[in-house]
Structure formats: structure tokens, C-alpha cells
Amino acid sequence: MFRSHVLICGGTGCTSSGSQQVAAKLEEEIKRQGLEKEVAVVKTGCHGLCALGPIMIVYPEAVLYSMVKAEDIPEIVEEHLLKGRVVTRLVYQETVSAEGIKSLNDTDFYKKQHRIALRNCGVINPENIEEYIGTGGYEALGKVLTEMTPDEVIQVILDSGLRGRGGAGFPTGLKWRFASGNRGNVQKYVCCNADEGDPGAFMDRSVLEGDPHVVLEAMAIAGYAIGASQGYIYVRAEYPIAVERLKIAIAQAREYGLLGKDIFGSGFDFDIDLRLGAGAFVCGEETALMTSIEGNRGEPRPRPPFPAVKGLFEKPTILNNVETYANIPQIILNGPEWFASMGTEKSKGTKVFALGGKIHNTGLVEIPMGTTLRTIIEEIGGGIPNGKKFKAAQTGGPSGGCIPAEQMDVPIDYDNLIAIGSMMGSGGLIVMDEDTCMVDIAKFFLEFTVDESCGKCTPCRIGTKRLYEMLDKISKGKGTLEDLDKMEELCYHIKENSLCGLGQSAPNPVLSTLRFFRDEYVAHVVEKRCPAGVCKDLLTYQILADKCRGCTLCAKTCPADAITGKVKEPHVIDPAKCLKCGACIEKCRFGAIVKR
Amino acid sequence: MKSLEELKAIRERMQGQVGLRSEDSNNTRVVVGMATCGIASGARPVLTTLVDEVQKRKLNNISVTQTGCIGLCQYEPIVEVMEPGKDKVTYIKMTPEKAIEVLEQHLIRGQIVEKYTLNAENL
Ligand SMILES: Cc1cc2nc3c(=O)[nH]c(=O)nc-3n(C[C@H](O)[C@H](O)[C@H](O)COP(=O)(O)O)c2cc1C
Ligand code: SF4
Ligand code: SF4
Ligand code: SF4
Ligand code: FES
Ligand code: FES
């Protein structure tokens, strides 16, 4: 029996900051001190604090060490694990207070979070099915198979108010009901969307890496509910750790008889296979995903027929997102009322967001629906670094839009986000400060959609390209006010005439920045000026003669020989030669160089 | 898996394990002084005995941890029992045998073993 558990994060973030080496060193030191029978080392999934990785938590004290290096390990093992003295110097500083070490749950980052989908992430060893069972895993499946009818299961999911976490927010129970007819007489499929194409989102990856069994259990529950015996998880090949853990989880579930024939002696059979996607964004769209599983090129197909009627291999199919599934077992065990007690009127439960961009605490956070953006950014996220001002937050990735500072107090849920011209999307949340140019942001997302459009239909293939070109023109100071109107018109055209959600939502970043930051577009067009100082073509670098001491440092640095001047006399930049690389600004110790 | 009982058996076996990883404030904490003097005077066997017994008896609401120097070197090994909402009780000069007595009397039956506590010896 172990008196202490040391949890070390094996998620993608911490693995890339070296957690494997730290874990190896930890095991070695524990052996050296003869503690291997007293202290267990458990490799877990993501805790959400990836920016501070590698993360290590020592239980039962629940002390979190951040940015742990292999060199720190001997000290931690000897002082903390052997002698019981916390090495305060290496502890996550948010938890250190005058009275000693605070509980993790009292830190700003965790205090307002509520973990349902992420409840086991960072807590259990994802490669050991018994740890999942130890936290109540597979009990929901047992309950469903032995005590409930399939229709009762669907009713519970309906009553919980759970909506799809993959983007569109369709009620999950309704989706299951549509596919539930004719049970036992037709082949049906249960699919899991683990394609996670939004460039700013990584919650699905974290669930798969940290708690893969929850997805397997939920898919089996879905299979029982609609009468399917086969499931597929479509996961992107760029998630090697997630793929590996899923393979291990599926093998263990089969070995324990939690997948396969006659589960819990109920006569219900269910099995799951993996399908790897090459990472095209459009393959996350439901019909393209199914086409891809069938072995064809991942292009969307027209709906109707909807997947619930004719989906994978033309059979009735349900497709849900990873995070959607991660809520299911808890809803079954705790009841729909429990779940519906959290959130807003039409959006129940919690949502995981991947906080990124200009914010202190980047990472994964799970919050009740209805939390305001202000709470997320100022409290959980710890505010904007370097005393900068908040400008906007982008949600929904390439399909979403920007939320400006005026809307910071809107409770976040599906419908409110749509009302302010954005969308929930899969949960990427990118924070932007005053140094971010909104034209540049729109251009960034359009470049992404131009690349990712599958090309099947013209409005999306050509339209997004034209839209990108117009943005590019504006960012170079060559746009006209007419272009702004034309651009808006083109946006609506693309939205209305594209076949799939990719094209239909691609103009959103343009529309929402035009709506809330039109003055910034106008500044680019009329004044030929980029207010945030980002668009290179509109910037000029200048030396303020009254501040320049003539130290010549900048002239020596300039790669283009654009700076001239005599020692101890003010220098000058030749705009014709200047490459706008910014090297001189960084070098000047007198703040004499400015960009405008 | 052919039955819910099988699942339950695994869950119970694992619960003590993963249960250690929660910050449940309703847990009773048993803390063993493990500074250099504590280790020298035999705190290690006291600690391991307590951990083993708590597990063997499935006392899921008790966590056993170690701490640094308590500042009473001449009384080591020291074991402190902290029950939620109650005063801390400090046992001194512990041995594995005495520790089991404390576990049975105090932790299970709720009766403080006065003869081993700090107050019993004249300070
Ligand atoms: C271009 C495009 C990309 C998408 N990418 C994803 C994705 O990566 N992951 C995902 O779960 N859903 C994605 N979706 C949404 C899916 O089509 C589908 O609505 C979702 O997987 C359904 O599951 P849910 O109801 O549980 O959200 C995407 C949709 C579009 C139009
Ligand atoms: S909208 Fe774009 S991604 Fe979707 S089918 Fe048409 S071309 Fe392909
Ligand atoms: S921005 Fe770069 S190219 Fe321009 S003057 Fe400064 S160092 Fe030279
Ligand atoms: S580095 Fe600054 S102070 Fe020195 S010459 Fe250049 S502008 Fe002037
Ligand atoms: S990967 Fe370690 S905390 Fe996210
Ligand atoms: S040398 Fe005069 S400004 Fe750089």
C-alpha cells in the first residue's frame, strides 16, 4: 500500500516540456531512497496548466510543483517524499501564501472551475482501466444495461439538456432519439468525432489522453440506447499519445469484457475500432468524417439524408464529439436533474475552453455554462500580461467571431454567443490585447479556411480566396471603402451558398470584426494606418531626433543598412531601405525608435 | 465482465488507491514526524505500519502522511492525529505496536490513548 502518490503529467504539453525525463528521474530517486514500496508514481493526463509544465502533484497533501526539472527531483524526493518538508521554492506559486500551502482548489485558476468532462484528467493513470473503475468508471454502463431500457436512457439524456460540444450545440438526446427506430433489425453505428480541427482547441485531445475510458463507456451507452453494436472513433493521426492511449484502453476494455460480447451478462454486444484521420479540417464535418471512415476522400455530402437515417455505410448513425461523450456517464449516475441544475436556461452543464493568446494562465478550463467572459479572463485566466488592455476574445476558431470588451459581461452559452455574432465552436478561446490588429486576425483565419476548403463547391473554394485577397489588400493600405461593403456582401453570399459548415461559417471572423471593429478597417483604408501597429506595410520606423544619443547601435544592427548617422548625432532611417524587421527598436536603449 | 459484483470488487480494491488523490476535508489526517531525528529514532516503521493497517482495515477516510521536524526531537517518533473539527492530538515516542493501539483505540473507536499523548508526560 502506498502512503503517497506522485502524479506526473503525461499530456502532450508536459511531455514536450520534458515530463518523461522527470518521471524517469523520479522513479530512480525514489528507488535510491528506498521509498518504492511507499510512494507510487502515477502518469496522468493533462491538468490544464500546460503552460506551467511539467506539472507534478504530490498526494495526499495535494502540493503542486510546476515547471519541474529533472535536476529538482533529488531535492523533492529527499525533502518532501522522505522527510515531509514541502520544497516551497518549486511549488506552483499561486498556492503559496503566508499561512503555508493553499489547496489547489482555492487558486484563482481552479476555484471557479467545475470539472465534469475533465474530472479524471490529471487524476488517474489513463493506461490502467482499474484506476478508471476505482473512480466509478463503467458503473453507468452497468446501470444502463441492467436497470434501464434504451428509451429510458435516451429520456435521461434528453432531460439533462446536454447539447453537442463539437460546435453546433444540437441536443444530444434528440440526436439519439432520431437514430433509435427499428432497434435490433438494422445495422447501426456510433461514431466519435475526435478530429479536433480548430487550431486553438485541445480539450478533446486532453480527454483522450487523460481519461480514454470515459469515451469508450459513453459510446457503449449510446450503442445500447440506439441499438448499435459497433463504434468508430475518428481521431487525427497528429495526436500520437491520444491514439496510443485509446489503443491501450480498447484492449483493456476488451480484456475485462467491458467491450465485446454479452457485456455484464446482459446480452448486449458492443465493440469499438479506431480510424485515423490525416488532419484535414473539413474531415471534422460529420458527413465528410463518415465518408472518410468509409475509405473515401473526406468530402462533405448533402444533407438530408441526415446521418441518423443514412450515415456511415448508409446505415443509421450517430456522431458525437469527445467532450459530449465525456459528460454521459456522470449524467447517468447522478441523474439528469443534477446536470440540468448547472448552466443557463438553454445550455446546461459545463464547457471546456482552451485559453490561449494574451493571457496569464493559458491552459484548459472547465466552467459552468453562463460564466462571463470577464470571469474567465480576469479571474481564472489571471488577466492580460504586461499591463496591456483587453481588446477582444475569439471563440469558435475559424468558424467563430470576436467578442469585444463591451460584451465581456454576457453569460457565455450557445445562444448568447450566436446573438453576438460568434459561436461556441469546440471551445478555443483566444484572448487579444491592444497590440492585436483585427484585420490581421480576420486574415489569419481566412488564410486557414482557404487552405482547408475541400474545393467541392464554388462559393467556398473561390469565395474564401477572394475574401482573403480583399483582406490582404486592406492590410497593405490599398483597400477602398467600397471594398468593405463588397466584402460584407461576399460574406453573406458564401454563407448562404456553401454546401457544408466550413464554407457556411468561414466568413464569420470577417463579419464579426467588421461589426465590432469597423473603425479599425476604416483606419487601414482611409488613413493608411494600422492602429495596433501590426500590418507591416502600413508601418514606418522612425528615430526621434531629440531622444537619439547617436550611440550607433541601431545602425550596426540593421540588416538592411537603412540607418545612417554620425557618432553622437541623431541617426535617420531610410524608409526606402527599411525592411520593417524591428531589430533596431529592440536594440535602442534610449527609446528613440518608434513604429507608427 | 459478467456481473456488477465483479465491477464492484475492482472498484473497492482501487478506491483506497485513487481516493488518496482527493482533498477531502472530512478526512482524518494522521501525520508522522519524519525529520532527521524522527527517522533516526524509528519513524519509518511507524509510518509504514500505519499506512499498511489503514489499508488492511479499509479505513478510507484516513490519510497518513509525513511531515518535517515538529520541534520536539526528544519525543520522536511523533504521530499527530487531526480529526476535522477537533483539537489535534499528539502521540509521542511511538513504536509500530503503540501505533496500532492508537489506530484501534483512537481512530476506530474514537478514544484517545491518553498514556501516549504529549500531555501525559510532564513537559
Ligand atoms: C468544417 C467543420 C469542422 C468540424 N470539426 C469538428 C471537430 O473537429 N470536432 C467535432 O467534434 N466536431 C466538428 N464539427 C462538428 C461536427 O460536424 C458535428 O456537428 C459534431 O461532431 C457532432 O457532435 P456533437 O453533437 O456531440 O457536437 C465540425 C463541423 C464543421 C462544419
Ligand atoms: S463549403 Fe467548402 S469545405 Fe464545405 S463542401 Fe463546399 S468547398 Fe468543401
Ligand atoms: S526595422 Fe529593421 S530594416 Fe528597418 S531600420 Fe530597423 S533594423 Fe533596419
Ligand atoms: S540605438 Fe537608440 S540611442 Fe542609439 S543611435 Fe540608435 S536610436 Fe539613437
Ligand atoms: S499537458 Fe500537462 S498540464 Fe496540460
Ligand atoms: S544612429 Fe541615429 S538613430 Fe540610430
Side-chain angles (χ1 to χ4, degrees):
Chain A
M1 177 60 186
F2 299 106
R3 63 174 163 83
S4 176
H5 290 189
V6 182
L7 273 50
I8 175 125
C9 178
T12 293
C14 291
T15 300
S16 60
S17 55
S19 67
Q20 301 300 333
Q21 290 86 311
V22 173
K25 184 76 186 168
L26 185 64
E27 280 169 341
E28 182 192 319
E29 278 299 307
I30 286 177
K31 260 209 196 92
R32 205 172 64 81
Q33 297 279 8
L35 295 171
E36 70 267 31
K37 292 214 168 61
E38 296 171 37
V39 179
V41 176
V42 185
K43 288 180 201 142
T44 69
C46 178
H47 300 268
L49 276 169
C50 319
L52 294 173
I55 297 286
M56 184 171 122
I57 306 187
V58 180
Y59 280 102
E61 302 94 314
V63 168
L64 188 148
Y65 291 102
S66 58
M67 297 198 215
V68 183
K69 293 194 276 309
E71 304 92 86
D72 299 331
I73 291 300
E75 185 180 350
I76 295 178
V77 171
E78 169 153 4
E79 285 299 306
H80 189 160
L81 300 180
L82 179 65
K83 297 184 181 163
R85 289 194 290 236
V86 175
V87 187
T88 314
R89 178 172 66 81
L90 299 169
V91 166
Y92 174 40
Q93 290 303 313
E94 289 285 312
T95 59
V96 180
S97 70
E99 298 90 60
I101 309 285
K102 281 194 291 186
S103 155
L104 260 186
N105 294 331
D106 287 338
T107 59
D108 290 337
F109 184 72
Y110 284 110
K111 197 162 45 189
K112 298 244 157 129
Q113 292 199 45
H114 190 91
R115 301 192 143 209
I116 300 171
L118 299 179
R119 79 186 245 278
N120 283 332
C121 283
V123 178
I124 62 167
N125 175 353
E127 298 184 4
N128 182 350
I129 190 172
E130 296 205 345
E131 292 220 341
Y132 179 64
I133 294 173
T135 66
Y138 289 106
E139 259 171 41
L141 180 61
K143 177 173 173 184
V144 159
L145 294 185
T146 55
E147 295 172 17
M148 294 169 79
T149 67
D151 283 323
E152 281 168 359
V153 175
I154 293 178
Q155 194 60 46
V156 165
I157 301 303
L158 263 177
D159 291 344
S160 75
L162 176 66
R163 294 170 67 173
R165 302 296 193 239
F170 192 80
T172 306
L174 214 53
K175 191 183 271 190
W176 292 15
R177 175 170 285 171
F178 287 150
S180 67
N182 225 355
R183 282 189 198 99
N185 301 319
V186 281
Q187 173 81 35
K188 295 180 186 177
Y189 296 103
V190 170
C191 295
C192 173
N193 191 340
D195 194 53
E196 199 158 56
D198 173 351
F202 57 96
M203 58 284 298
D204 294 349
R205 185 187 75 200
S206 288
V207 171
L208 297 175
E209 286 176 358
D211 196 15
H213 284 285
V214 75
V215 175
L216 308 187
E217 182 181 6
M219 287 176 73
I221 292 170
Y224 176 70
I226 69 162
S229 58
Q230 176 66 42
Y232 288 101
I233 301 176
Y234 188 83
V235 54
R236 53 174 49 218
E238 285 132 316
Y239 282 179
I241 300 178
V243 170
E244 192 50 39
R245 301 236 166 104
L246 277 172
K247 282 185 184 159
I248 294 171
I250 291 173
Q252 287 182 352
R254 284 182 185 148
E255 186 192 320
Y256 279 69
L258 291 161
L259 284 178
K261 299 258 174 249
D262 194 20
I263 302 168
F264 285 115
S266 65
F268 172 67
D269 306 337
F270 193 77
D271 207 352
I272 295 175
D273 284 303
L274 289 185
R275 288 292 178 267
L276 302 196
F281 182 53
V282 72
C283 286
E285 193 279 335
E286 58 181 14
T287 59
L289 184 147
M290 290 174 198
T291 314
S292 175
I293 294 183
E294 288 162 4
N296 299 314
R297 192 189 154 110
E299 282 182 357
R301 42 197 199 213
R303 293 175 304 183
F306 284 94
V309 181
K310 248 186 188 187
L312 188 59
F313 304 114
E314 310 240 305
K315 305 289 185 224
T317 302
I318 56 169
L319 171 72
N320 279 118
N321 164 265
V322 171
E323 190 188 333
T324 312
Y325 282 125
N327 284 295
I328 301 277
Q330 290 303 304
I331 294 175
I332 299 285
L333 290 177
N334 300 327
E337 302 80 15
W338 164 80
F339 192 77
S341 72
M342 288 168 281
T344 61
E345 195 193 337
K346 288 189 178 149
S347 304
K348 301 301 187 189
T350 59
K351 177 76 193 89
V352 183
F353 285 98
L355 269 186
K358 304 288 179 59
I359 187 145
H360 255 292
N361 304 329
T362 56
L364 272 195
V365 301
E366 180 168 355
I367 44 147
M369 295 274 191
T371 306
T372 63
L373 191 59
R374 188 181 300 283
T375 304
I376 300 180
I377 290 174
E378 292 179 357
E379 296 180 40
I380 301 172
I384 319 277
N386 307 322
K388 300 272 182 181
K389 247 177 64 198
F390 171 81
K391 183 170 190 177
Q394 154 89 20
T395 63
S399 314
C402 291
I403 309 173
E406 306 89 82
Q407 310 273 359
M408 257 184 126
D409 291 308
V410 173
I412 293 189
D413 69 7
Y414 290 101
D415 311 286
N416 286 344
L417 283 183
I418 301 253
I420 54 176
S422 187
M423 63 183 265
M424 189 72 86
S426 49
L429 202 162
I430 302 167
V431 180
M432 298 177 270
D433 68 7
E434 50 193 305
D435 291 342
T436 315
C437 167
M438 302 318 277
V439 178
D440 190 60
I441 286 290
K443 204 172 121 182
F444 167 81
F445 282 116
L446 256 291
E447 190 177 355
F448 179 84
T449 34
V450 168
D451 270 357
E452 295 290 341
S453 165
C454 80
K456 185 166 175 155
C457 56
T458 322
C460 169
R461 183 183 68 241
I462 313 275
T464 55
K465 188 107 204 332
R466 291 290 99 86
L467 209 48
Y468 174 78
E469 287 164 2
M470 287 159 115
L471 287 167
D472 191 50
K473 199 172 143 194
I474 292 168
S475 75
K476 295 202 158 85
K478 295 187 181 134
T480 62
L481 284 176
E482 268 157 46
D483 284 339
L484 297 188
D485 298 332
K486 256 200 261 169
M487 217 162 62
E488 218 164 340
E489 200 189 315
L490 180 56
C491 283
Y492 289 115
H493 184 77
I494 297 172
K495 277 176 88 76
E496 276 154 30
N497 296 299
S498 292
L499 172 63
C500 85
L502 191 151
Q504 287 157 13
S505 64
N508 287 352
V510 180
L511 283 174
S512 89
T513 47
L514 266 177
R515 172 169 163 194
F516 292 116
F517 299 97
R518 200 179 180 94
D519 52 337
E520 227 171 281
Y521 278 89
V522 171
H524 283 75
V525 169
V526 178
E527 298 166 44
K528 312 289 176 213
R529 186 174 68 87
C530 173
V534 172
C535 296
K536 268 190 175 181
D537 291 289
L538 298 183
L539 287 182
T540 52
Y541 283 76
Q542 279 176 10
I543 291 169
L544 304 172
D546 55 332
K547 283 200 176 164
C548 176
R549 306 271 186 95
C551 74
T552 76
L553 214 58
C554 57
K556 287 191 189 123
T557 308
C558 176
D561 285 329
I563 305 178
T564 50
K566 294 205 180 92
V567 185
K568 295 199 178 154
E569 282 175 25
H571 283 45
V572 207
I573 297 176
D574 177 357
K577 283 190 183 165
C578 174
L579 304 170
K580 301 174 186 176
C581 71
C584 54
I585 286 203
E586 276 164 38
K587 273 282 173 319
C588 179
R589 276 168 297 176
F590 305 98
I593 307 182
V594 291
K595 62 177 179 183
R596 302 204 155 120
Chain B
M1 194 77 48
K2 286 293 162 248
S3 69
L4 286 176
E5 283 69 45
E6 258 178 88
L7 187 75
K8 214 169 138 215
I10 302 178
R11 169 153 197 193
E12 272 170 12
R13 177 155 51 78
M14 293 304 292
Q15 214 160 19
Q17 284 276 345
V18 287
L20 190 63
R21 297 171 211 160
S22 69
E23 291 184 62
D24 196 340
S25 51
N26 291 323
N27 271 13
T28 295
R29 290 183 23 190
V30 179
V31 180
V32 184
M34 286 282 282
T36 312
C37 62
I39 296 173
S41 60
R44 282 290 286 280
V46 172
L47 177 66
T48 43
T49 305
L50 281 169
V51 169
D52 287 346
E53 290 298 317
V54 162
Q55 158 77 357
K56 224 185 280 164
R57 299 169 201 238
K58 296 205 166 88
L59 304 173
N60 285 337
N61 58 341
I62 295 177
S63 68
V64 182
T65 56
Q66 77 299 34
T67 184
C69 179
I70 300 174
L72 297 163
C73 307
Q74 71 269 37
Y75 298 118
E76 294 276 6
I78 290 178
V79 172
E80 295 178 321
V81 175
M82 296 173 226
E83 291 172 282
K86 288 192 198 165
D87 284 341
K88 176 171 82 180
V89 179
T90 305
Y91 291 102
I92 57 176
K93 296 191 175 163
M94 284 282 107
T95 62
E97 296 71 37
K98 289 184 190 170
I100 291 180
E101 230 182 300
V102 167
L103 184 106
E104 288 177 343
Q105 296 298 328
H106 187 168
L107 297 174
I108 298 178
R109 299 208 186 88
Q111 283 155 7
I112 298 174
V113 192
E114 301 286 354
K115 59 183 174 182
Y116 300 146
T117 63
L118 182 60
N119 312 332
E121 207 155 316
N122 296 325
L123 273 173

